[in-house]
């Protein structure tokens, strides 16, 4: 029996609530989910388009055997595990946001790719 194909992924992590512990937990969860993991540094940014505390952000690149659909649902489940909920988001508290930016070369969240911090962190994980 063949092993499922490994898919290359890039995921953005961001948090504006209890930032350092939530980022550490997000990184830990993704390190356990993905193979061949490379994390960028954590980078503080001001909120874009909302009034909010600063965000702590990073990118991760890695490989997964999960399908696109399964990976997206797994990321949503991890967000909830770390404390994210609709109510918390309504209150402006983002415990963790895990956005799939790229899956096997196909880019998602196109507006995010235009953000300077995404460009900066992407360069970091590409140069490792």
């Amino acid at each position: 029996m063949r092993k499922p194909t490994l898919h290359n992924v890039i995921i953005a992590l961001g948090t504006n609530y209890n930032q350092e512990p939530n980022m550490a937990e997000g990184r830990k969860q993704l390190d356990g989910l993905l193979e061949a993991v490379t994390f960028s540094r954590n980078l503080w940014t001001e909120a874009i388009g909302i009034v909010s505390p600063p965000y702590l952000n990073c990118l991760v690149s890695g490989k997964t055997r999960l399908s696109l659909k399964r990976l997206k649902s797994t990321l949503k489940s991890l967000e909830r595990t770390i404390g994210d909920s609709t109510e918390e988001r309504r209150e402006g508290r983002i415990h963790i946001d895990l956005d799939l930016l790229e899956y096997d070369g196909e880019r998602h969240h196109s507006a995010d790719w235009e953000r300077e911090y995404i460009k900066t962190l992407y360069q970091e994980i590409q140069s490792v």
Side-chain angles (χ1 to χ4, degrees):
M1 181 182 242
R2 276 185 344 155
K3 284 186 177 179
T5 304
L6 276 173
H7 305 281
N8 295 306
V9 298
I10 298 173
I11 299 167
L13 296 81
T15 173
N16 74 349
Y17 180 77
N18 203 19
Q19 294 98 321
E20 290 173 339
N22 284 339
M23 180 61 72
E25 184 61 23
R27 290 172 74 117
K28 177 182 163 192
Q29 294 290 330
L30 290 174
D31 192 39
L33 177 68
L34 303 174
E35 300 176 35
V37 175
T38 301
F39 285 99
S40 72
R41 67 186 159 115
N42 290 340
L43 182 64
W44 290 97
T45 61
E46 293 301 315
I48 299 171
I50 61 170
V51 175
S52 163
Y55 275 79
L56 188 58
N57 302 279
C58 82
L59 292 183
V60 60
S61 69
K63 297 180 183 295
T64 183
R65 297 182 194 285
L66 297 176
S67 68
L68 176 61
K69 182 178 179 180
R70 179 77 176 159
L71 179 59
K72 285 181 174 184
S73 70
T74 300
L75 293 177
K76 289 299 168 200
S77 178
L78 288 177
E79 288 176 346
R80 287 188 299 275
T81 297
I82 297 171
D84 216 40
S85 69
T86 303
E87 183 178 313
E88 288 288 303
R89 284 183 178 249
R90 247 189 307 239
E91 297 292 325
R93 291 184 296 272
I94 309 300
H95 290 251
I96 196 78
D97 192 25
L98 303 173
D99 288 335
L100 179 61
L101 295 184
E102 192 172 287
Y103 186 91
D104 279 347
E106 181 182 331
R107 288 190 168 183
H108 303 262
H109 296 276
S110 56
D112 289 356
W113 285 100
E114 299 305 314
R115 295 182 174 159
E116 285 305 314
Y117 74 92
I118 295 289
K119 292 177 183 179
T120 298
L121 296 177
Y122 180 73
Q123 288 302 317
E124 287 182 14
I125 61 174
Q126 293 304 301
S127 63
V128 172

